[in-house]
Amino acid sequence: MRNVRYLGLDVHAETIAVAIAEPNGEVRSVGVIANRPEAVRRLVKKLGAPEQLRACYEAGPTGYVLYWQLTALGVACEVVAPSLVPVKPGDRVKTDRRDAGKLARSYRAGDLTAVWVPDPAHEALRDLVRAREAAKQDQLRARHRLGKFLLRHGRRPPEKMKAWTQRHLAWVQRDVHFAEPAQEATLLDYVHEIEHAAARLVRLEQAIDTATRRPRRRCARSSRRSRPCVGSPRYRR
């Protein structure tokens, strides 16, 4: 399509730096807008016909919200891999406007690699898996806190047993006590956190099992250079 304009978007939690690569070769900064749907809508309206715009931004902590906003407005958008954005040797000056301009220029040249954008069902499952990973980390921290607390006070099981098994936890709850009320309260709190973390993991793992049993649609790619879909043998989180 002739007269296609390429948008480079440097996206942050509160702001989006915008640059545009014109068909005649000019690359210019459009400015910085708020990262809000109404601001994105005004930007698209200001730049002209949505079907003549191609937008891109780097994958990051802001997720795919902007992608869905732009595609809903009729603008073709791709989320690109940050590690594969070309960098000139010695170019260490980094500002939001410069990054947006670099994206627009590279996008027009076809030098960017798009990542696969998950559909709502895949994104929901990813969130659930992230929650499970966070719960596992919280469980490990809770166990470390209790283990170090017991070690500081010389409390060891009377016979060899594997830590954090049901037998080990039963020993802690049955046989470990402190004369000082403050230490007893500390012990109870640590044990409660371990039990809470275990119950949380069970809930999340059951939710993952339920989600993965749902029929999944064949996923579409945002471009031929996109990452493989979840479930593909080559997919890595």
Side-chain angles (χ1 to χ4, degrees), residues 68-80:
W68 293 116
Q69 289 173 359
L70 289 168
T71 53
L73 293 170
V75 177
C77 180
E78 288 188 305
V79 184
V80 302

Side-chain angles (χ1 to χ4, degrees), residues 139-156 163-164 168 171-172 176 178 183 186-187 190-191 194:
Q139 182 189 52
L140 184 61
R141 293 189 187 100
R143 286 175 171 180
H144 282 171
R145 282 191 289 266
L146 177 57
K148 291 174 182 178
F149 176 70
L150 296 176
L151 181 62
R152 282 199 306 273
H153 296 284
R155 303 304 175 93
R156 303 175 185 273
W164 314 122
H168 178 260
W171 165 74
V172 173
V176 178
F178 292 88
Q183 290 174 328
T186 302
L187 173 66
Y190 286 160
V191 170
I194 289 175

Side-chain angles (χ1 to χ4, degrees), residues 19 27-28 30 52 82 116 152-153 160 162 179 190 192 212:
V27 178
R28 58 186 176 86
V30 179
Q52 291 186 324
W116 173 69
R152 282 199 306 273
H153 296 284
K160 188 174 181 179
K162 189 174 181 179
Y190 286 160
H192 172 75
T212 53

Side-chain angles (χ1 to χ4, degrees), residues 37-227:
E38 57 275 14
V40 173
R41 195 178 303 110
R42 286 195 299 269
L43 173 70
V44 171
K45 186 176 180 180
K46 172 185 174 183
L47 294 176
E51 60 271 13
Q52 291 186 324
L53 298 176
R54 300 288 184 273
C56 75
Y57 67 95
E58 293 180 351
T62 56
Y64 305 102
V65 176
L66 181 58
Y67 172 89
W68 293 116
Q69 289 173 359
L70 289 168
T71 53
L73 293 170
V75 177
C77 180
E78 288 188 305
V79 184
V80 302
S83 60
L84 299 180
V85 175
V87 179
K88 291 182 180 179
D91 185 7
R92 293 186 174 87
V93 179
K94 184 175 174 61
T95 67
D96 296 348
R97 292 175 185 265
R98 282 174 61 93
D99 287 348
K102 181 172 65 174
L103 282 173
R105 186 178 295 106
S106 299
Y107 193 34
R108 183 181 61 189
D111 292 337
L112 301 179
T113 300
V115 302
W116 173 69
V117 177
D119 60 28
H122 280 86
E123 185 66 2
L125 182 57
R126 284 183 171 192
D127 286 336
L128 195 54
V129 171
R130 291 186 189 106
R132 193 264 177 194
E133 290 176 349
K136 192 67 179 175
Q137 292 169 359
D138 290 344
Q139 182 189 52
L140 184 61
R141 293 189 187 100
R143 286 175 171 180
H144 282 171
R145 282 191 289 266
L146 177 57
K148 291 174 182 178
F149 176 70
L150 296 176
L151 181 62
R152 282 199 306 273
H153 296 284
R155 303 304 175 93
R156 303 175 185 273
E159 55 186 283
K160 188 174 181 179
M161 60 179 69
K162 189 174 181 179
W164 314 122
T165 59
Q166 288 297 326
R167 184 171 171 231
H168 178 260
L169 290 173
W171 165 74
V172 173
Q173 293 172 311
R174 182 186 62 247
D175 296 338
V176 178
H177 297 286
F178 292 88
E180 290 292 335
Q183 290 174 328
E184 187 70 12
T186 302
L187 173 66
L188 292 175
D189 184 74
Y190 286 160
V191 170
H192 172 75
E193 281 303 305
I194 289 175
E195 292 174 338
H196 172 72
R200 182 181 169 200
L201 276 169
V202 169
R203 289 196 307 271
L204 289 168
E205 287 169 355
Q206 289 174 346
I208 291 172
D209 288 342
T210 300
T212 53
R213 290 195 194 101
R214 294 179 57 191
R216 307 287 286 281
R217 295 178 301 176
R218 188 182 181 87
C219 57
R221 301 175 189 270
S222 58
S223 83
R224 286 179 297 176
R225 295 175 295 174
S226 300
R227 287 180 179 173

